[in-house]
Amino acid sequence: DAGVIQSPRHEVTEMGQEVTLRCKPISGHDYLFWYRQTMMRGLELLIYFNNNVPIDDSGMPEDRFSAKMPNASFSTLKIQPSEPRDSAVYFCASSSFSGGRALVQFFGPGTRLTVL
Amino acid sequence: QKEVEQNSGPLSVPEGAIASLNCTYSDRGSQSFFWYRQYSGKSPELIMFIYSNGDKEDGRFTAQLNKASQYVSLLIRDSQPSDSATYLCAVSLSGGYNKLIFGAGTRLAVHP
């Protein structure tokens, strides 16, 4: 069974450019999460979706960040315009929820973003 | 602000010893607790999850949960150099939300 798939794995861009990160969750999972990881701030939750609907976007740092989930098998995280401080590893994760309990989140391989 | 705290390390242990990793959390209503391992340059991968007070064992790994003290730990027996990684503690947010709060991680170094 395929795990969470992310693309691209590496992205190098220049300040001011638009960046789009993509994620395909594990089939059957109804929750999808976008995280950002840096040395300084650790692993931060940016936004998460349930059944394709955004539930909590309080972690999105600025209006330059936006995320969509048009269907159960695809999500995007867009940064426009990008800035050097956006350089980080961006992870997508998916999970289910059962009996009032959060279940295991499975992480994708991540996208390493470098903004010059 | 709900928090999860871990000692950043590094925790250095000799090969074959027991490594003990600790985590405290502030949300008294948390129901789900996870330990992830993250190798440098890789994504977090699940090691253990625990929902109930007490111990849960899986091979060389034991997770311990004490909800009264708001404390969760991970023991690694017979530590191997391949266990050298950062270990992230994650705790669910109470209130029925499917959201995890991650600690900053403890770096473990197992030396031969």
Side-chain angles (χ1 to χ4, degrees):
Chain A
D1 219 5
V4 176
I5 298 172
Q6 290 187 248
S7 65
R9 296 290 304 276
H10 302 273
E11 177 81 31
V12 180
T13 190
E14 293 190 347
M15 183 173 63
Q17 297 298 305
E18 177 179 296
V19 174
T20 300
L21 311 181
R22 297 173 177 79
C23 175
K24 176 179 169 58
I26 292 172
S27 178
H29 283 182
D30 51 359
Y31 282 82
L32 183 140
F33 306 82
W34 282 101
Y35 290 90
R36 177 172 70 175
Q37 188 174 42
T38 62
M39 289 292 292
M40 289 296 294
R41 300 176 68 89
L43 194 61
E44 304 174 274
L45 177 65
L46 300 178
I47 184 171
Y48 76 96
F49 296 82
N50 176 216
N51 291 323
N52 315 335
V53 176
I55 302 301
D56 183 351
D57 65 355
S58 60
M60 297 285 262
E62 301 170 35
D63 290 346
R64 299 185 296 107
F65 286 69
S66 62
K68 294 182 179 180
M69 192 165 186
N71 58 61
S73 58
F74 183 65
S75 177
T76 60
L77 177 68
K78 188 175 292 187
I79 308 172
Q80 166 63 20
S82 58
E83 296 183 3
R85 59 195 168 119
D86 301 330
S87 298
V89 180
Y90 291 81
F91 290 108
C92 177
S94 70
S95 82
S96 295
F97 189 72
S98 176
R101 279 188 176 144
L103 301 183
V104 177
Q105 291 185 17
F106 294 90
F107 284 76
T111 296
R112 182 172 295 276
L113 173 65
T114 302
V115 183
L116 303 175
Chain B
Q1 179 77 1
K2 306 298 183 183
E3 293 183 343
V4 175
E5 297 199 359
Q6 298 180 253
N7 188 321
S8 62
L11 174 65
S12 182
V13 301
E15 184 174 356
I18 296 176
S20 178
L21 305 163
N22 305 312
C23 172
T24 59
Y25 60 94
S26 63
D27 187 346
R28 190 167 287 278
S30 294
Q31 295 290 325
S32 305
F33 306 86
F34 305 87
W35 282 100
Y36 285 83
R37 177 177 63 196
Q38 187 175 25
Y39 292 113
S40 180
K42 302 295 186 182
S43 58
E45 58 176 331
L46 180 76
I47 296 296
M48 296 278 292
F49 64 88
I50 185 167
Y51 297 140
S52 304
N53 272 334
D55 294 1
K56 179 181 179 183
E57 187 173 318
D58 184 2
R60 296 187 296 112
F61 299 94
T62 298
Q64 299 176 317
L65 175 62
N66 184 326
K67 288 187 177 180
S69 300
Q70 294 174 239
Y71 177 93
V72 59
S73 65
L74 179 70
L75 301 179
I76 306 174
R77 289 181 299 282
D78 188 24
S79 296
Q80 301 297 309
S82 59
D83 295 325
S84 299
T86 296
Y87 290 80
L88 302 170
C89 172
V91 175
S92 67
L93 193 65
S94 62
Y97 299 101
N98 189 15
K99 181 174 175 177
L100 300 183
I101 308 299
F102 281 82
T106 297
R107 190 156 57 92
L108 173 66
V110 181
H111 52 86

